[in-house]
Amino acid sequence: MRVMSAADRSRHDGGAPSPPEELGPVDAVVQLSFAVQALLGEIAAQHELSITQLRLLGILRDREPGMLDLARHLKLEKSSVTGLIDRAQRRGLVERSTAPHDGRAVRVRLTPEGRRLTEQITTQANETLSGLLDALAARDRARLSALAGVVVRHHAASRGVDLATHRTRRG
Amino acid sequence: MRVMSAADRSRHDGGAPSPPEELGPVDAVVQLSFAVQALLGEIAAQHELSITQLRLLGILRDREPGMLDLARHLKLEKSSVTGLIDRAQRRGLVERSTAPHDGRAVRVRLTPEGRRLTEQITTQANETLSGLLDALAARDRARLSALAGVVVRHHAASRGVDLATHRTRRG
DNA sequence: TATTGTTATACTCTATAACTATA
DNA sequence: TATAGTTATAGAGTATAACAATA
């Protein structure tokens, strides 16, 4: 893997990272993940957002979750979500509304401005990441995606048992 | 992609994320990158490190860079690196030494303790991520890695022109 | 003057613990 | 009592701007 990799050991001057030449099975995937995250981070930064805020917008695209729902999705403490929503709200991207039949609960949703930004970023991210995959011929791109999909689904299935529970009935 | 994905639109209750079922070409790769990052983040957290600290250790494994070198590697401002090294040093993982022929410069290197931790985490990360890829048969795993490697190398080559410059002579 | 690094300052992000309000 | 959420507090991580020391 890139972080802890045996590759990329060029010189001792601490110079710039060198283009890796041969990667172990794990390394390549890890490096790819860093490349993807870096690109997403750049896109987010262009809009003065963090990757967490990006994920938040993605979640809110078709949901109006409560704070605890968001904490589950984002794997954050609820108090962290409070701050996250505070800042997004201050920027006019989301709003809190009180839930219908529960005086304690809150619902979070995109504002029109938040929705515009979300759509814009979605488009931009798809373009940028398609560009990344342009290194491959169409057939290989499809293979990569298919294999990545298998890994992701397998991972979700093995981790998401409790999550799947929610889904089992009328999923 | 997962962050901004059209997949994962289950219900409106903001429930747990559902295992994605069909992914666009980009989505699968993005989701895989989030899965990898999450696993790395968990490993880092077990040792009370951030992913940035993990990357730092990886860089120091076979280098003794200066602060500006580290800033370039990590794509951080030099002042951010000062803080990063301060904290790592406070924990006994790295040490600063003065460079031989330049009174301004500093060299950062792992302490013995830092090196032990680095090796331990390297092993652990390789095991964990191998586990992730165990969803695939050996042949498919090799295919995934090869394709990921192509994308990564292509990306490094297209971005790393200035970096490669350092490398061109006596690389 | 240019380069290397640190300091001062401010903000985001995150967690833990204690709290409020409602159920 | 239990649940949904916020507040208080603290620390990591990051950036910008100003600074010190050396080249």
Side-chain angles (χ1 to χ4, degrees):
Chain A
M1 18 161 314
R2 178 68 174 74
V3 240
M4 293 272 132
S5 177
D8 189 30
R9 47 176 61 163
S10 39
R11 296 118 310 146
H12 254 242
D13 62 7
S18 22
E21 277 146 37
E22 17 180 323
L23 300 174
V26 162
D27 293 76
V29 170
V30 171
Q31 291 208 29
L32 179 57
S33 95
F34 273 96
V36 169
Q37 294 289 314
L39 290 174
L40 289 177
E42 280 175 24
I43 291 170
Q46 284 170 26
H47 301 275
E48 304 199 89
L49 294 172
S50 65
I51 287 204
T52 303
Q53 297 275 0
L54 223 65
R55 295 175 64 202
L56 172 65
L57 296 182
I59 290 168
L60 295 181
R61 212 160 60 81
D62 35 36
R63 271 170 253 211
E64 294 190 7
M67 302 299 275
L68 290 180
D69 295 320
L70 284 172
R72 265 197 304 271
H73 273 74
L74 297 167
K75 296 202 182 178
L76 293 175
E77 285 303 312
K78 54 185 182 175
S79 63
S80 303
V81 175
T82 295
L84 195 70
I85 298 302
D86 283 349
R87 292 185 293 272
Q89 192 167 20
R90 211 180 302 141
R91 291 183 49 176
L93 301 178
V94 309
E95 58 192 13
R96 284 171 165 96
S97 63
T98 50
H101 296 311
D102 189 335
R104 302 167 298 179
V106 152
R107 283 210 180 158
V108 182
R109 64 163 163 256
L110 291 176
T111 61
E113 183 185 343
R115 187 163 296 280
R116 272 194 302 277
L117 181 60
T118 302
E119 302 305 342
Q120 183 188 344
I121 290 178
T122 302
T123 302
Q124 188 182 354
N126 271 297
E127 286 169 0
T128 298
L129 291 165
S130 294
L132 178 69
L133 299 185
D134 275 353
L136 300 175
R139 180 165 299 177
D140 282 340
R141 205 155 51 233
R143 281 199 188 106
L144 175 60
S145 293
L147 293 171
V150 170
V151 172
V152 165
R153 279 192 297 276
H154 193 269
H155 181 245
S158 68
R159 294 222 148 190
V161 183
D162 56 325
L163 310 181
T165 304
H166 287 243
R167 223 178 169 255
T168 303
R169 319 198 165 272
R170 33 191 343 95
Chain B
M1 17 159 322
R2 178 67 175 77
V3 242
M4 291 271 134
S5 178
D8 190 29
R9 48 175 61 163
S10 41
R11 298 118 311 148
H12 254 242
D13 61 8
S18 19
E21 277 146 38
E22 19 179 321
L23 300 174
V26 161
D27 293 75
V29 170
V30 171
Q31 291 209 29
L32 180 57
S33 96
F34 273 96
V36 169
Q37 294 289 314
L39 290 174
L40 289 177
E42 280 175 23
I43 291 171
Q46 284 169 27
H47 301 276
E48 305 200 89
L49 295 172
S50 66
I51 287 203
T52 303
Q53 297 277 358
L54 224 65
R55 294 175 65 201
L56 171 64
L57 296 182
I59 289 168
L60 295 181
R61 212 161 58 84
D62 35 36
R63 269 170 252 210
E64 295 191 8
M67 301 299 275
L68 289 180
D69 296 320
L70 285 172
R72 266 196 303 272
H73 274 75
L74 297 167
K75 294 202 183 179
L76 293 175
E77 284 303 311
K78 55 186 180 172
S79 63
S80 303
V81 175
T82 296
L84 194 71
I85 298 301
D86 284 348
R87 292 185 293 271
Q89 193 168 18
R90 212 181 300 144
R91 290 183 49 176
L93 301 178
V94 309
E95 58 192 12
R96 284 171 166 97
S97 63
T98 51
H101 296 311
D102 189 336
R104 302 167 299 181
V106 152
R107 284 215 180 155
V108 182
R109 63 163 162 256
L110 290 176
T111 61
E113 183 187 342
R115 188 164 296 280
R116 273 194 300 277
L117 182 59
T118 301
E119 302 304 342
Q120 184 188 344
I121 291 178
T122 301
T123 302
Q124 189 183 353
N126 271 297
E127 286 169 0
T128 298
L129 291 165
S130 296
L132 177 68
L133 299 185
D134 276 353
L136 300 175
R139 180 165 299 179
D140 282 338
R141 204 156 51 233
R143 281 198 188 106
L144 175 60
S145 294
L147 293 171
V150 170
V151 172
V152 165
R153 278 192 297 277
H154 192 270
H155 181 245
S158 68
R159 294 222 148 191
V161 183
D162 57 325
L163 309 183
T165 304
H166 287 243
R167 217 167 177 265
T168 303
R169 318 196 165 273
R170 29 190 350 92

